[in-house]
Amino acid sequence: MKFLKPISLLLLLASVAISAQVRVAVHESDPGPVIPKEIYGQFSEHLGRCIYDGIWVGPDSPIPNIDGYRKDVFEALKALKVPVLRWPGGCFADEYHWQDGIGPRESRPRMINSNWGGTVEDNSFGTHEFLNLCEMLGAEPYISGNVGSGSVEELAKWVEYMTARGGTMAERRAANGRKEPWKVKYIGIGNESWGCGGNMTPEYYSDLYRRYSTYCRDYDGNRLYKVASGASDYDYNWTKVLMQQVGHRADAVSLHYYSIIDWNHKGSATVFTDGEYYDIIAKAIEIEEVLRNHEVIMDTFDPERRIDLLLDEWGTWFDVEPGTNPGHLFQQNTMRDALVAAMSLNIFNKHTARLKMANIAQIVNVLQSMILTGGDKMVLTPTYHVFRMFSGHQDAVAVPVEFTCDTLQSPSGRLYPALSVSASRTKEGRLFITLANPCLDKAQIVTLTMDALNPGSVSGEILHAADIRAHNTFDKPVQVAPKAFVGFKVSGRTVTLTLPPASVVAVTL
Ligand code: AHR
């Protein structure tokens, strides 16, 4: 049976349909590309309380810290195995002047963060603070350079300051406490250059890309990977022009995609109808079609796939929490966000022939964050739990899966499958499968069959709450938390899993 218009059918289904049967064929004998760990990447911008309060409180804070980094947040991020961290924006990047963020903190200039609420930025978190954090986390830094309001010289010197062993920039770095250069791989040449990054045309931006990127040099064995500022959502022309005019001068082009139905009415993060839930899920997984369309354009110009696609901003974007600064983009995070994260990551895992990185927006206290802080309190969000549960896919080999299942239709008219699955072979040789059931009213009984593998022992985790609006607060921090998954049966080469409504499951065979 197909289900259409789940909202209008809810009452009917509640009485007649308790579960659906789905068969999933896992082709472990036909491995695909590696799932780069960077698919599980993060993004941190000088926006609201992401950096200040979220990551950095300063060494003199009464909040427990390691040299100024919040201890609780640092430890939670370490456990998440953050593979790559993008910084300092976002829109902020195109107004950021890196030389304001080095040297003694007390004498760093102050600026107005005009993109994000007019907050005064004291530059106490700058290049050293960011790159040292990446080293402590074991994450690759991804620097977003200022093309909108900066200069070629400014960006060129930033690269030299971070990565050169000798010369004036290296001497300044050493005088500021860091003798050894850092390793910096990823460098973005601008951000959203079609919008907050300068309101450019793709043709004009392509010329600027060629100029700015020419002077971003490789010093002393550091090899830069240059990212051209890419399209938003359905702007396929932007990708086409970049592929034509920038081409192999870039290692990658980026893409941004947020799950927003109506920019003027984004809706509450916690108070929403079932219909609004289905709409957001549908919009989130429309990314698959958007990725495919950008990939087709890239394939036309670059059939050998030398240029990567990086989805360096994605996630949900709701109204800010009542009473908070509208420019700070602070939103709660529910089981709905967990479903968005799980279903999106399952899609990304299948597109890694071209898609090599994805950075959810953002890591702490902004948009679909991993962590929320308030004073000395911290809470992990449902999205954090999904990222942690899915971390077994990092650098694993993708395994194709095939299935047919019911089709859902959202109130906004989008059709999408009622199940989400991806699989990989981990470095330890285990089969790792992640699944999500987006149906609010229906369990799914999923029968997994393998080509040849005998599943042996099965272990797993489940993220599930009775209400899709469930979320964690400082008072109730474990309303949504993973539990051991026991809803499976093994029989020969077949494993049967029962996924409760609105649940996310990760199993290892
Ligand atoms: O993530 C918030 C903002 O969204 C970023 O600064 C910008 O790049 C995008 O529009």
Side-chain angles (χ1 to χ4, degrees):
M1 169 187 161
K2 302 246 180 259
F3 12 177
L4 293 173
K5 297 205 188 301
I7 303 322
S8 51
L9 287 179
L10 266 182
L11 288 176
L12 177 67
L13 289 171
S15 55
V16 295
I18 298 153
S19 61
Q21 300 271 351
V22 189
R23 297 187 76 78
V24 177
V26 182
H27 298 301
E28 84 283 359
S29 56
D30 181 23
V34 166
I35 300 171
K37 61 183 188 314
E38 288 80 4
I39 292 291
Y40 291 80
Q42 299 284 340
F43 170 34
S44 57
E45 181 166 8
H46 287 242
L47 193 179
R49 296 185 303 108
C50 181
I51 300 293
Y52 304 110
D53 287 359
I55 292 174
W56 179 258
V57 286
D60 302 328
S61 171
I63 296 174
N65 66 82
I66 309 164
D67 298 335
Y69 307 101
R70 282 185 78 117
K71 194 163 180 293
D72 50 1
V73 170
F74 175 78
E75 281 166 1
L77 294 179
K78 190 89 185 167
L80 203 53
K81 301 195 180 113
V82 176
V84 57
L85 185 57
R86 181 170 179 253
W87 174 85
C91 295
F92 180 79
D94 280 290
E95 282 195 304
Y96 182 60
H97 299 286
W98 68 272
Q99 303 200 43
D100 294 348
I102 55 171
R105 288 195 195 105
E106 55 291 355
S107 45
R108 294 184 191 175
R110 292 151 69 85
M111 68 177 281
I112 293 173
N113 188 338
S114 38
N115 279 290
W116 304 119
T119 307
V120 174
E121 159 71 55
D122 69 3
N123 277 304
S124 54
F125 188 94
T127 301
H128 289 247
E129 289 77 12
F130 173 68
L131 292 175
N132 290 343
L133 172 66
C134 289
E135 278 188 349
M136 289 159 67
L137 285 173
E140 290 279 356
Y142 177 0
I143 297 285
S144 201
N146 181 346
V147 169
S149 72
S151 69
V152 175
E153 183 191 11
E154 184 183 15
L155 187 55
K157 285 202 164 134
W158 198 6
V159 171
E160 188 180 334
Y161 184 90
M162 292 184 287
T163 59
R165 227 163 242 295
T168 310
M169 287 296 118
E171 284 160 17
R172 273 183 82 185
R173 185 188 65 233
N176 288 329
R178 172 80 187 203
K179 186 158 189 323
E180 279 299 297
W182 291 279
K183 283 274 171 237
V184 175
K185 179 175 175 187
Y186 299 105
I187 180 132
I189 310 295
N191 167 74
E192 296 197 348
S193 303
W194 40 263
C196 65
N199 282 305
M200 304 176 199
T201 63
E203 290 80 9
Y204 179 68
Y205 170 74
S206 297
D207 284 345
L208 282 192
Y209 174 90
R210 292 161 74 135
R211 186 162 164 243
Y212 274 72
S213 63
T214 300
Y215 302 98
C216 291
R217 306 287 192 194
D218 287 343
Y219 294 99
D220 302 307
N222 187 71
R223 156 89 171 91
L224 290 174
Y225 172 107
K226 297 173 189 169
V227 185
S229 166
S232 172
D233 310 280
Y234 315 91
D235 185 356
Y236 302 114
N237 183 54
W238 187 278
T239 299
K240 184 172 157 217
V241 175
L242 254 50
M243 292 303 289
Q244 280 171 325
Q245 304 203 6
V246 170
H248 294 119
R249 289 174 185 86
D251 293 291
V253 299
S254 64
L255 172 68
H256 289 179
Y257 184 87
Y258 285 99
S259 302
I260 298 172
I261 303 286
D262 176 352
W263 278 92
N264 297 316
H265 303 98
K266 299 190 197 78
S268 160
T270 52
V271 183
F272 51 87
T273 64
D274 290 353
E276 287 167 328
Y277 160 78
Y278 282 111
D279 264 342
I280 289 293
I281 295 292
K283 173 74 188 189
I285 65 170
E286 198 167 278
I287 184 64
E288 176 132 49
E289 187 187 323
V290 173
L291 285 174
R292 215 178 284 125
N293 292 340
H294 287 282
E295 285 160 5
V296 166
I297 295 167
M298 294 181 77
D299 287 346
T300 311
F301 294 96
D302 173 36
E304 289 162 351
R305 298 195 174 139
R306 284 164 54 200
I307 306 171
D308 300 336
L309 180 61
L310 311 186
L311 181 65
D312 61 13
E313 289 186 27
W314 69 276
T316 59
W317 189 323
F318 299 118
D319 292 341
V320 298
E321 288 306 306
T324 65
N325 185 327
H328 286 186
L329 311 187
F330 176 71
Q331 66 190 42
Q332 248 295 358
N333 196 293
T334 65
M335 245 335 268
R336 173 173 66 173
D337 294 85
L339 266 297
V340 166
M343 296 178 81
S344 303
L345 292 169
N346 278 339
I347 290 169
F348 304 161
N349 286 344
K350 293 184 236 174
H351 280 259
T352 56
R354 181 72 77 172
L355 183 71
K356 301 293 181 186
M357 187 193 294
N359 308 73
I360 190 167
Q362 298 192 7
I363 193 163
V364 189
N365 288 335
V366 171
L367 300 177
Q368 190 178 351
S369 46
M370 307 296 113
I371 295 172
L372 304 176
T373 66
D376 63 356
K377 298 215 162 60
M378 178 202 86
V379 73
L380 304 178
T381 66
T383 300
Y384 175 97
H385 294 307
V386 170
F387 268 70
R388 219 265 306 123
M389 285 167 68
F390 278 45
S391 61
H393 286 303
Q394 292 192 18
D395 283 341
V397 176
V399 167
V401 289
E402 255 181 329
F403 64 97
T404 48
C405 63
D406 291 331
T407 300
L408 297 173
Q409 184 176 18
S410 71
S412 60
R414 291 174 168 91
L415 294 171
Y416 58 101
L419 183 74
S420 160
V421 190
S422 74
S424 65
R425 170 80 74 175
T426 67
K427 282 179 266 180
E428 296 76 35
R430 305 221 171 87
L431 195 57
F432 182 57
I433 306 176
T434 49
L435 309 99
N437 173 11
C439 305
L440 290 179
D441 60 328
K442 224 178 175 186
Q444 306 231 30
I445 299 170
V446 177
T447 307
L448 301 174
T449 53
M450 270 62 68
D451 288 346
L453 181 101
N454 193 323
S457 69
V458 179
S459 61
E461 287 183 285
I462 180 167
L463 193 68
H464 170 61
D467 185 357
I468 191 68
R469 295 154 199 89
H471 54 276
N472 295 332
T473 62
F474 301 125
D475 296 334
K476 294 186 174 169
V478 287
Q479 295 287 100
V480 184
K483 297 194 172 59
F485 178 61
V486 289
F488 63 85
K489 265 196 230 132
V490 184
S491 157
R493 283 219 312 271
T494 301
V495 181
T496 306
L497 314 170
T498 301
L499 311 186
S503 62
V504 177
V505 166
V507 285
T508 305
L509 313 183

